Amino acid sequence: MRIGHPGYDGPMEPRATATDFDGRPGMPDRFGRALRDLRISVTDRCNFRCPYCMPAEVFGRDFAFLPRELVLSFEEIERLARIFVELGVGKLRITGGEPLVRRDLPVLISSLAAIRTPEGDAVDLTLTTNGSALRALAAPLAEAGLQRITVSLDSLDDDVFGAMNGVDFPVSRVLDGIAAARTAGLTPIKVNTVVRRGMNEASVLPLARWARDAGLVLRFIEYMDVGHSNGWRLDDVVPADEILGMIDAAMPLEPVSAQYRGEVAGRYRYRDGNGELGVIASVTRPFCGDCTRARLSAEGSLYTCLFAVAGTDLKGPLRAGASDGEVADLVRSVWEIRADRYSELRSEATERLPKVEMFALGG
Ligand code: SAM
């Protein structure tokens, strides 16, 4: 079995120049992809136990999450974020684990919101959350300078959602969080839904209707083989075409062209003009060719692919007294040799690789 593009072991494409990728100055990797986005995991802990990400039987009471001293401090995160922005990053996404379980998160947000690009612009600052603590935190986060938010929600049905979050967390509390985010002005609000065969296909259409009526940007995510704890099987993936087909049959859709190079979601709008939705189809429509993302784990390792087997430690040099320039040189040296394109090479062989868990490296 092989899905996605056939294996590619040929010569690399010629080295791109700094502005080839999207017209902006930047640092090209071996396929000419510039570093534009940094996902920052602020914790490896989460209060949910979604079976597709952090299954309860693996991540039980005895599981050893990172001790506090191994987690980057807010000052370290801010310093690294500034270095990445100097290198061409324009978008910072806070994630985890569940980022809202990290104490005093608004303090970090306000320091990140103050960062400016070399051109003097503010960075695009956003956060992905399961929404469970959003009712209380939406206003403080917005006041601290968070611009918008993405909330994960896999069903509007309590039984289905309870099974998918692994802790019977009720839908209503996530909806309260989304309402609070809207009141706080964290818009446009995006909603992420992972679709898993046999679990929540029946939730697709109700979610699409709800998001459309509520003016939310819904993105369906194909279930991915991240990490190795979730027992991923290709049969569990509901392909984007099938998801779109279900919705199109009830509410006709048409494709929308990407807003910028590197946009992850394939975008579609309702033909009647009432909103749009997206599909993130890493399995059936790999988008490695335009991937501009790096990930910083809670313990300060740099990963250049969601499906990575290893990262590069940045915390060690930072704590050993490296200068900003030395850390920037390390990041540059990692990015310049980056040749990751896991989703394009996905096969039975890649499935067995000892990949790092998604909650650890920042989803
Ligand atoms: N806790 C936050 C949340 O729930 O959004 C942030 C971290 S979570 C790892 C980020 C996103 O990754 C969520 O939307 C989650 O549903 C998605 N995700 C986790 N495991 C996945 C998998 N195996 N396939 C596809 N998406 C996954």
Side-chain angles (χ1 to χ4, degrees):
M1 173 202 66
R2 190 183 276 288
I3 53 177
H5 292 202
Y8 174 83
D9 299 315
M12 297 288 180
E13 286 170 20
R15 281 282 287 272
T17 57
T19 54
D20 273 358
F21 185 77
D22 54 11
R24 291 176 42 216
M27 198 169 60
D29 71 4
R30 290 196 41 196
F31 292 132
R33 301 166 295 188
L35 172 59
R36 294 287 181 237
D37 315 67
L38 180 66
R39 296 185 169 222
I40 303 173
S41 174
V42 293
T43 178
D44 60 341
R45 289 161 202 258
C46 186
N47 56 330
F48 281 12
R49 285 293 176 273
C50 306
Y52 56 78
C53 185
M54 206 188 248
E57 59 278 14
V58 181
F59 303 95
R61 278 188 196 286
D62 299 334
F63 186 79
F65 287 99
L66 289 172
R68 196 181 166 146
E69 64 275 15
L70 292 188
V71 175
L72 290 180
S73 68
F74 285 170
E75 291 73 21
E76 289 168 332
I77 293 174
E78 182 202 350
R79 192 172 157 210
L80 286 171
R82 284 185 189 279
I83 292 169
F84 276 86
V85 170
E86 283 294 318
L87 290 170
V89 162
K91 179 171 166 185
L92 301 174
R93 177 175 295 277
I94 306 304
T95 180
E98 170 48 41
L100 301 192
V101 306
R102 176 97 187 234
R103 192 178 299 171
D104 298 328
L105 192 66
V107 173
L108 174 68
I109 295 295
S110 62
S111 68
L112 297 179
I115 297 178
R116 294 290 174 269
T117 67
E119 297 79 36
D121 300 321
V123 288
D124 183 9
L125 181 59
T126 184
L127 179 147
T128 300
T129 174
N130 62 27
S132 58
L134 200 50
R135 190 168 60 177
L137 282 170
L141 288 169
E143 278 157 25
L146 189 69
Q147 292 155 3
R148 52 200 180 79
I149 204 153
T150 299
V151 181
S152 304
L153 178 63
D154 295 336
S155 182
L156 293 171
D157 178 294
D158 263 324
D159 290 338
V160 177
F161 185 53
M164 286 195 74
N165 64 50
V167 292
D168 282 328
F169 198 86
V171 174
S172 60
R173 286 185 53 194
V174 179
L175 299 186
D176 287 349
I178 291 174
R182 196 194 293 265
T183 305
L186 292 172
T187 54
I189 299 172
K190 290 182 182 164
V191 175
N192 276 355
T193 299
V194 176
V195 187
R196 190 168 167 184
R197 175 88 60 209
M199 296 284 294
N200 65 337
E201 297 116 303
S203 301
V204 165
L205 202 49
L207 275 164
R209 284 191 207 283
W210 162 77
R212 182 178 129 115
D213 292 347
L216 304 165
V217 181
L218 180 62
R219 287 119 47 96
F220 290 105
I221 307 178
E222 285 179 347
Y223 174 43
M224 297 182 287
D225 50 336
V226 279
H228 51 82
S229 301
N230 60 12
W232 184 88
R233 293 180 320 132
L234 183 57
D235 292 349
D236 295 333
V237 178
V238 181
D241 284 350
E242 192 178 325
I243 296 169
L244 290 167
M246 285 187 240
I247 300 166
D248 183 59
M251 299 181 285
L253 291 166
E254 62 190 5
V256 184
S257 42
Q259 277 168 320
Y260 55 90
R261 188 162 178 205
E263 193 172 34
V264 170
R267 292 167 55 219
Y268 294 80
R269 71 174 148 240
Y270 293 105
R271 283 183 191 269
D272 66 6
N274 283 325
E276 67 173 69
L277 60 77
V279 285
I280 301 177
S282 153
V283 180
T284 62
R285 302 182 195 168
F287 38 82
C288 307
D290 281 346
C291 180
T292 56
R293 277 169 295 286
R295 292 177 157 80
L296 181 63
S297 72
E299 61 179 331
S301 284
L302 168 64
Y303 293 90
T304 55
C305 179
L306 179 57
F307 303 93
V309 291
T312 302
D313 177 36
L314 301 183
K315 179 178 76 223
L318 211 64
R319 291 190 180 175
S323 67
D324 286 359
E326 285 164 341
V327 177
D329 283 345
L330 178 57
V331 174
R332 196 180 284 114
S333 69
V334 171
W335 191 264
E336 281 179 352
I337 58 163
R338 175 185 189 243
D340 305 276
R341 44 199 226 91
Y342 175 90
S343 289
E344 291 182 353
L345 304 175
R346 185 180 275 113
S347 66
E348 274 175 4
T350 55
E351 264 169 50
R352 283 189 290 274
L353 289 172
K355 288 166 277 160
V356 180
E357 297 293 343
M358 188 165 186
F359 71 85
L361 57 76

